[in-house]
Amino acid sequence: MVLYLEHKDAIAGILLDRAKQRRTIYYSELGAALGIPAQGPWKPILDEISREETSAGRPDITYLVVSKTTNLPGQIGFTAAKPPSAAQTKRALETIEAVFDHYHK
């Protein structure tokens, strides 16, 4: 069972708005907007959105949800990034830019 699945469309909508604005969002901000605790659990619901986006050929908008300590996602490529490796950092920055480029028209 995926917790907060009922918020999936709202989460995706917030992330699409952020993508169009070329802005990331902290877990705490996203949680506050939806009444979800900042500490999650975010992984299952973000994984669900990620799979939907990438299977449709779009860049992964879940990379826009970032930690206040690193300004990067807490997981990168479905792997924990606490702290992110150099390869994870590179992947995250490239993916965030791809999201911005795709949605910011």
Side-chain angles (χ1 to χ4, degrees):
M1 181 174 99
V2 177
L3 289 176
Y4 309 118
L5 189 59
E6 69 275 12
H7 295 296
K8 182 174 65 92
D9 291 341
I11 293 168
I14 289 169
L15 296 180
L16 288 173
D17 286 344
R18 288 296 176 123
K20 291 172 185 173
Q21 298 169 24
R22 298 185 69 86
R23 294 177 58 209
T24 58
I25 187 169
Y26 294 122
Y27 289 93
S28 58
E29 292 176 293
L30 185 58
L34 299 165
I36 298 173
Q39 298 301 315
W42 288 102
K43 184 176 177 1
I45 189 64
L46 293 178
D47 285 354
E48 184 78 19
I49 294 168
S50 173
R51 281 189 285 278
E52 285 182 13
E53 292 298 303
T54 57
S55 69
R58 294 184 295 266
D60 187 352
I61 61 174
T62 66
Y63 275 72
L64 300 184
V65 186
V66 299
S67 161
K68 284 185 180 181
T69 56
T70 63
N71 279 320
L72 294 170
Q75 70 168 6
I76 298 168
F78 299 100
T79 304
K82 298 176 184 176
S85 67
Q88 285 178 314
T89 298
K90 182 179 186 296
R91 179 176 180 175
L93 294 174
E94 288 172 351
T95 302
I96 290 168
E97 194 59 37
V99 169
F100 289 163
D101 289 347
H102 183 82
Y103 289 103
H104 185 76
K105 310 215 185 246

